[in-house]
Amino acid sequence: MKKGGQALSDQDSANAYWKANLRLITWSLVIWALASFGFGILLRPMISGIAVGGTDLGFWFAQQGSILVFLVLIFFYAWRMNKLDAEHGVEE
């Protein structure tokens, strides 16, 4: 019976790990979509009056901002997944 309880605990831990992983992926994709599609395309007319580096903010997001946000998200995801792996005991 103890083994059954242990297996259930392991299963709960695995479910919590994947739930946290999927939540992290979802929020990363939402932020990336907002930065690239939202600010670069949909909200560009609203933010076009703000100057950044000699051009408007909407053009900057469409050309460089979304790429920089994507790179930051890659490093944030790797850092956060290392912490999540350590919390759940599945680190390499």
Side-chain angles (χ1 to χ4, degrees):
M1 187 163 198
K2 194 169 192 176
K3 286 185 179 181
Q6 183 67 26
L8 183 61
S9 176
D10 290 344
Q11 184 65 34
D12 289 342
S13 178
N15 287 340
Y17 173 77
W18 284 109
K19 185 176 178 182
N21 186 6
L22 290 176
R23 185 173 41 244
L24 180 61
I25 291 170
T26 301
W27 278 109
S28 296
L29 288 174
V30 166
I31 291 169
W32 186 35
L34 182 64
S36 60
F37 189 70
F39 288 127
I41 298 171
L42 296 178
L43 300 176
R44 184 171 180 207
M46 293 174 50
I47 60 176
S48 65
I50 302 169
V52 172
T55 186
D56 67 273
L57 186 60
F59 180 78
W60 184 84
F61 263 107
Q63 296 303 314
Q64 293 185 11
S66 61
I67 295 168
L68 294 176
V69 168
F70 181 66
L71 290 173
V72 168
L73 284 172
I74 289 172
F75 287 105
F76 174 76
Y77 178 79
W79 171 77
R80 185 62 186 109
M81 280 306 296
N82 284 335
K83 284 184 64 173
L84 191 63
D85 289 348
E87 289 173 10
H88 291 275
V90 292
E91 66 270 352
E92 292 180 12

